[in-house]
Every structure is written in C-alpha cells, then in structure tokens.
Amino acid sequence: MELFIILLSLGLLMFTAYKGYSVILFAPIAALLAVLLTDPSHVLPFFSNIFMEKMVGFIKNYFPVFLLGAIFGKVVEMSGIAESIAKSIIKLVGGTRAILAIVLMGAILTYSGVSLFVVVFAIYPFAKNLFRQANIPKRLIPGTIALGAFTFTMDALPGTPQIQNVIPTSFFGTDIYAAPGLGIIGAIFVFTLGILYLETLRKKAAKRGEGFYGFDNAESAAAAEADALEEGVNGIDMTAKTSTLRAIMAFAPLVLVGLANKFFTVNLPKWYPDGFDFSKIGLESYGTVQMSGVVGIWSVELALLLGIIATLLYDFKKVTGGFKVGVNTAIGGALLAAMNTGAEYGFGGVISSLPGFSVVSKGISSTFTDPLVNGAITTTTLAGVTGSASGGMGIALSAMADTYMKAITEFNIPPEVMHRVISMASGGMDTLPHNGAVITLLAVTGLTHKQSYKDIFAITIIKTLAVFFIIAVYKLTGLV
C-alpha cells in the first residue's frame, strides 16, 4: 500500500504535467495527497517543514542562475548576436548543410549559457529559412533543434553553465568541469549518432520526393503561399552582409562567459580559502559559507553577468531600444522555470520522507547495485515522470544524494564521475511528450507530436544510451 501511494502520487504529477497544468500547483497537491493517504495528521507539518523548506532552499541556491541565464539569452537575441552567429555558421558549413548548421548554432548558444527555451525561439527563423532553401522537410526541424539545444551541450560537455550541470556541484562538491574526458566522449557519441540519424531521414525524404512542404499537392502549395506572405512581413534576410570584425565580435560575449566561468571556478576558492564565517563580522545567525557547495553556482552567476554586460556593449543602442520589454519577458520566464523546478524539488523532498520511498529505494538498490547505474536509472526515470531534467534530478538528489555519496566512497568512485552521470541522465528520458521544452518547440515550429515527436524521441533514446556508454567507458578505462 505504501508503494502504491508513491506510484499514485508520481502518476498524478506526470498526468497533470502531460495535460499542461502547472507543476507549481500540482507538485504540492500530488505530494500532499501521498501524505494524506499515509497519515492525514502529517499533511500540514510536511507542507511547512519539508515541501516549502526544500522548494525555498532550491530557489535560494539556483534562482540567480535561472535569472541571469534568461536575461543573457534575451539580450543575445535582441542584440543581433544570434543572427550574426547563424550567418557565420552558414558561411562555414554551407547553406546546403542545413541540419549541421542548425545543430551547431543550437550547441554554441546553449553551451554559452543561453536558456534552452530562448534558443528555440532564436533558432527557429533561421532553421525554417535554411530548410526551405535546401528543400528539407519541415517536420525534421524539431529533431534538429532538439539535438543541438537539448542534449550534449546541456549536460555532457564540461563547463556548460546550463542548470542541469550546475545543480550537482552543490551536492557532490564538484565544479561544472567535472569528469571532462567522459563528458566529451558522451558529447561526441550523441552528436555523431544524432547527425547520422537526421541525415539518414533527410536522404530518405529526398528519395521519396518529399520537400519542405511535404509532397506536391494543394495543401503544400497553400502552405508555401502562406509562408511567402509571412516572409514578406517578418522574413530574415540571410543574404545581408556583416563585416568580418563584427561577425567575429559576435562570439566575444559567448567566449567571455566560458573563460570567466573557468577563471572564477579556479580563483574563488583562493579568494575564500576558508569559506566565509559571518560570525567574524558580528552576524553569527547567518552561519558560514562552505566553498565546496557554492563555487560552481557563484562562478556561473559571475560569468553570465559579465556576458550580459559584454552583449550590451556589442550593440548598446539596438538592445536598449526594447530592453524593458525584453528583460521583463526574461524575468517572467526565469521565475516560471525556477518555481517549476523548485516545486518538483519540494515534491521530491516529501516523497523521499514517506515510508513507501524506502521500498522504492531498496528495490532500485537491490536491482542495480552499482551506484553509477543506480543513479543513472533513478534520475532518468524521475526526469521522464516529471517531464523535466532539472526537476527529475532535483527529486533524485533530494532523496538520494547522501546515499550516492556513501556508495561512491564505498566503491571508490570519484564524485566528478557521479556528477557527470547524474547530469547526463537528467537529460535522458526527460524529453517525453509532456516535457515543457518539447511542447514549446513544437508550438514554435507549428508542428504536432504526430508529425515530429518520433524524431525527438529518437534523439532522447540516443541521449539516454550515451549515459550508459560513458559508464562503460569509465568501468573499462578508469577515465575521468
């Protein structure tokens, strides 16, 4: 019965997320339903001292990362940097290699810290233009954007400032460059198989005579006509020339974020060698700051702040023209993303405190005794249930972080390896049909799950396999 209560609560959260209801409301409802069915007298105490404590603690730690990432992405879009980067990539790889160009654009933007949701909006106009010119079916655009933005640069490549790579730092005392060798191998695995998959689909479509608008018929002709009218109003001129210097300078804010991130990761522990003790300045009630838990977070925050400043300087006049509206939009998006993930984190705290969770935990541990495999399966399963990489990771680490730390000590596994495995696993099965980023991506492209989700799911499978591939590599070689 205790196990059934846990599964019922998880099922309710998954169902409501799939239907598009906000987890900010339904995460506490699902969690407290489980408490109610276990012991009704525990509902209010669990809400105040577990759910809210966990949720607020998560937001306290990570909201600045959400906020600065959203603002950085917005000013990158508003300044024309995204457009300049798109033109540079097209010039490098050629307009006919549309799939590779869009994947690279998504990878560059996400690896430099631009929010995944912002990347979708920034890339789609260029993807639509390139795919139409190359006569590649439009239905392949979502899978292509997903490969570039939702996979290897989100959580595999060392140094990515995306939240999925930041969260594990405070649990394992690592930084965002954890296990660089395994991360790079995992990224190559995903990128290579993903490109091969998409290119295979492109070639098959070409052989069947399927173009951007599908097969030649009245419906595709009407779609082409509608697009032509839209382009006349909102089209992007990909032929407009940009000076070489300005094209190079467009990459400067993105590179600066990466370099600054590394600089602060190395130097913050030197600046605060003993952490920070508030009692030394007469503020005993504020406790102490341990650098192992904040260096990864602080480094990303400072790097994104410098990136925002550099982006403003790139084209100050262009950005400031719509700065108020753009920043307000970014703040709204950051608040929603942080609250969503925080609510899921609070949900995890409540569920892990119930008697039934020990049944789940023991069942997983007895079935998968290796802590890396255990962590990967637990995290990617919860990410799939919640439809959120950061949410699934939050639930897993909220419930199991101490267990994982004991296990990797017992098995003599470096914390950096567990960090990379957990991070990559969170971005595995998270992109199921009810995932928010997937729903946004399909809405922006004007396509349906029926038309394009199978390609996103194929990328999801490749990404999930990559986690177990790097575990195998570590087991065979000991590479970190």
Side-chain angles (χ1 to χ4, degrees):
M1 185 61 185
E2 291 171 343
L3 177 59
F4 172 75
I5 290 172
I6 296 288
L7 296 177
L8 176 65
S9 179
L10 286 169
L12 175 61
L13 182 61
M14 184 175 183
F15 175 77
T16 53
Y18 179 76
K19 289 295 185 179
Y21 292 100
S22 173
V23 297
I24 297 173
L25 174 62
F26 280 93
I29 288 176
L32 296 177
L33 173 64
V35 179
L36 179 68
L37 295 175
T38 302
D39 189 330
S41 67
H42 290 174
V43 171
L44 292 177
F46 266 59
F47 177 70
S48 296
N49 282 40
I50 298 181
F51 182 87
M52 290 306 298
E53 287 287 339
K54 290 287 187 180
M55 180 177 181
V56 171
F58 179 90
I59 293 171
K60 181 194 76 171
N61 286 332
Y62 301 109
F63 176 67
V65 178
F66 282 98
L67 178 63
L68 293 170
I71 294 174
F72 179 57
K74 195 62 182 177
V75 294
V76 162
E77 177 189 347
M78 293 166 61
S79 65
I81 284 178
E83 183 175 344
S84 179
I85 289 173
K87 291 177 180 177
S88 296
I89 293 172
I90 293 163
K91 185 177 180 181
L92 177 66
V93 305
T96 57
R97 304 182 72 180
I99 290 175
L100 177 60
I102 295 305
V103 169
L104 290 177
M105 185 179 178
I108 290 170
L109 291 176
T110 49
Y111 187 69
S112 62
V114 179
S115 165
L116 306 181
F117 288 91
V118 175
V119 168
V120 170
F121 287 96
I123 290 180
Y124 175 62
F126 305 103
K128 182 178 179 181
N129 190 297
L130 288 178
F131 274 54
R132 185 172 56 231
Q133 288 180 2
N135 203 30
I136 299 171
K138 182 182 178 182
R139 63 180 176 81
L140 297 183
I141 291 180
T144 303
I145 294 178
L147 175 60
F150 299 173
T151 59
F152 59 97
T153 52
M154 184 178 84
D155 50 43
L157 280 179
T160 175
Q162 295 295 334
I163 193 69
Q164 293 80 5
N165 190 40
V166 176
I167 291 174
T169 63
S170 58
F171 289 93
F172 300 119
T174 52
D175 58 49
I176 60 175
Y177 298 91
L182 293 177
I184 291 170
I185 289 172
I188 293 172
F189 181 96
V190 175
F191 175 80
T192 303
L193 292 188
I195 287 290
L196 288 174
Y197 171 79
L198 292 170
E199 285 292 340
T200 299
L201 293 183
R202 179 188 65 79
K203 292 175 182 177
K204 287 182 177 179
K207 286 183 179 179
R208 293 196 305 267
E210 181 184 3
F212 182 78
Y213 296 104
F215 299 96
D216 289 335
N217 54 38
E219 185 179 346
S220 64
E225 184 177 351
D227 263 0
L229 291 173
E230 181 185 345
E231 288 299 311
V233 179
N234 302 314
I236 295 174
D237 185 5
M238 297 297 290
T239 63
K241 293 184 178 180
T242 304
S243 69
T244 303
L245 177 61
R246 191 161 181 78
I248 294 173
M249 289 302 296
F251 288 89
L254 312 186
V255 174
L256 177 61
V257 171
L259 294 176
N261 199 348
K262 183 64 175 177
F263 173 81
F264 290 121
T265 299
V266 172
N267 287 283
L268 279 172
K270 297 179 182 177
W271 298 341
Y272 300 94
D274 302 315
F276 190 86
D277 187 352
F278 279 93
S279 65
K280 292 181 179 180
I281 58 173
L283 299 172
E284 293 83 359
S285 62
Y286 291 96
T288 60
V289 177
Q290 300 296 327
M291 289 307 297
S292 61
V294 298
V295 65
I297 300 171
W298 287 2
S299 298
V300 171
E301 290 169 358
L302 292 170
L304 288 171
L305 184 60
L306 290 177
I308 292 168
I309 295 171
T311 305
L312 291 172
L313 295 176
Y314 175 79
D315 198 328
F316 186 77
K317 185 176 181 180
K318 190 172 183 179
V319 174
T320 53
F323 187 73
K324 181 175 70 174
V325 175
V327 167
N328 286 344
T329 301
I331 292 171
L335 281 167
L336 183 61
M339 289 292 289
N340 278 337
T341 309
E344 289 168 335
Y345 192 71
F347 173 86
V350 171
I351 294 301
S352 64
S353 303
L354 296 176
F357 189 80
S358 62
V359 178
V360 177
S361 179
K362 289 177 182 177
I364 295 174
S365 297
S366 61
T367 306
F368 307 102
T369 56
D370 184 278
L372 295 177
V373 175
N374 186 311
I377 290 176
T378 301
T379 303
T380 200
T381 300
L382 290 172
V385 168
T386 60
S388 166
S390 53
M393 181 196 298
I395 293 173
L397 292 180
S398 173
M400 304 284 286
D402 291 339
T403 302
Y404 291 149
M405 284 300 293
K406 291 177 183 178
I408 61 178
T409 300
E410 179 184 345
F411 283 78
N412 197 30
I413 297 171
E416 291 79 9
V417 176
M418 180 59 87
H419 170 133
R420 187 56 54 208
V421 168
I422 293 288
S423 180
M424 289 183 63
S426 75
M429 296 304 294
D430 68 311
T431 43
L432 291 180
H434 59 293
N435 173 269
V438 169
I439 292 170
T440 299
L441 174 57
L442 292 173
V444 170
T445 57
L447 295 164
T448 65
H449 281 77
K450 183 178 180 180
Q451 291 171 303
S452 295
Y453 180 72
K454 64 180 181 180
D455 301 327
I456 299 174
F457 184 68
I459 301 300
T460 296
I461 296 297
I462 292 171
K463 182 63 168 54
T464 304
L465 290 175
V467 182
F468 298 98
F469 179 72
I470 67 162
I471 292 175
V473 170
Y474 171 73
K475 295 292 184 183
L476 292 173
T477 67
L479 177 69
V480 176

